[in-house]
Amino acid sequence: MKNLIVSTLLFWSLGTCAQDHKASIKEDLSNYFNLLEEKKISEALDHVHPELMDMVGKETFMQQYGQLFSDPASEVSFKDFNIDSISSLHIYEEVKYAQVDYGYQLIFDVRGEEPRDTTMTQLLVYSFGGQFGKENVVADENGKITITAQKQLFAVMKEDFDGWKIVDYEKGMRFMLVAFIPEEVLKHFNK
């Protein structure tokens, strides 16, 4: 009977820990996604893994987002962020990792004179189709392009972090990720 009670308590505490990490990741990601939707990029970047920020530089990210949001040829916005799944926790050298599958919509509203010249819209649809899959890129008759993106990221928690830090996963950027996400962790998540 004593073993049954101990086993039950252990199972319950492990389940609680699993739910706790998922709840805290979800909360931190929701804050991050809301900041992106509100175009509060400096505050959103505070949620990004600090070693990535040190490597690339916050100013570089700010400049890239600034160019994206201030392009006179189009208005860009993010919306409908959603978290599809959060993996179980993987701990490596006292650092916690979880993989998150998520999605969002990226909206490009192409500006122009009336009647609209559709050449720019067609070029963007073609370009985005190559990057996100043509089935995920839709343009309406007014030049508004909606991209439905499905992505993955790593949520990382170190003892000295204030909340979960985010690293977007791009297969082509793996060589850079190994600078601050150990190879063993990437292999654990089949990356």
Side-chain angles (χ1 to χ4, degrees), residues 74-85:
S74 64
E75 182 178 339
V76 179
S77 61
F78 294 103
K79 72 174 203 167
D80 295 338
F81 280 95
N82 63 74
I83 297 170
D84 299 320
S85 67

Side-chain angles (χ1 to χ4, degrees), residues 68 70-76 108-112 116 120 124 143:
L68 181 68
S70 65
D71 184 350
S74 64
E75 182 178 339
V76 179
F108 277 81
D109 192 359
V110 180
R111 298 175 180 157
R116 292 199 183 243
M120 174 62 100
L124 287 171

Side-chain angles (χ1 to χ4, degrees), residues 34-138:
N34 287 337
L35 290 167
L36 287 177
E37 285 183 5
E38 296 169 6
K39 299 181 182 178
K40 295 180 178 178
I41 302 308
S42 182
E43 294 94 333
L45 291 174
D46 291 339
H47 290 270
V48 174
H49 196 294
E51 291 177 51
L52 176 60
M53 296 306 299
D54 290 344
M55 182 184 290
V56 177
K58 188 171 185 175
E59 298 77 26
T60 301
F61 281 113
M62 291 292 296
Q63 186 178 38
Q64 289 174 343
Y65 277 106
Q67 289 173 350
L68 181 68
F69 291 134
S70 65
D71 184 350
S74 64
E75 182 178 339
V76 179
S77 61
F78 294 103
K79 72 174 203 167
D80 295 338
F81 280 95
N82 63 74
I83 297 170
D84 299 320
S85 67
I86 300 173
S87 73
S88 58
L89 202 57
H90 179 70
I91 301 173
Y92 182 79
E93 295 183 350
E94 299 182 26
V95 179
K96 298 174 185 175
Y97 300 89
Q99 178 180 298
V100 179
D101 295 335
Y102 72 102
Y104 63 93
Q105 288 190 336
L106 181 59
I107 311 298
F108 277 81
D109 192 359
V110 180
R111 298 175 180 157
E113 298 295 320
E114 295 295 334
R116 292 199 183 243
D117 176 9
T118 60
T119 305
M120 174 62 100
T121 302
Q122 291 169 350
L123 286 171
L124 287 171
V125 167
Y126 178 77
S127 176
F128 293 141
Q131 184 178 355
F132 295 97
K134 61 183 178 181
E135 69 280 1
N136 296 318
V137 181
V138 177

Side-chain angles (χ1 to χ4, degrees), residues 28 46-52 95-97 155-167 180:
D28 287 351
D46 291 339
H47 290 270
V48 174
H49 196 294
E51 291 177 51
L52 176 60
V95 179
K96 298 174 185 175
Y97 300 89
V156 183
M157 173 64 81
K158 286 187 177 182
E159 188 175 303
D160 60 336
F161 283 0
D162 178 27
W164 289 88
K165 299 302 178 186
I166 297 159
V167 180
F180 47 89

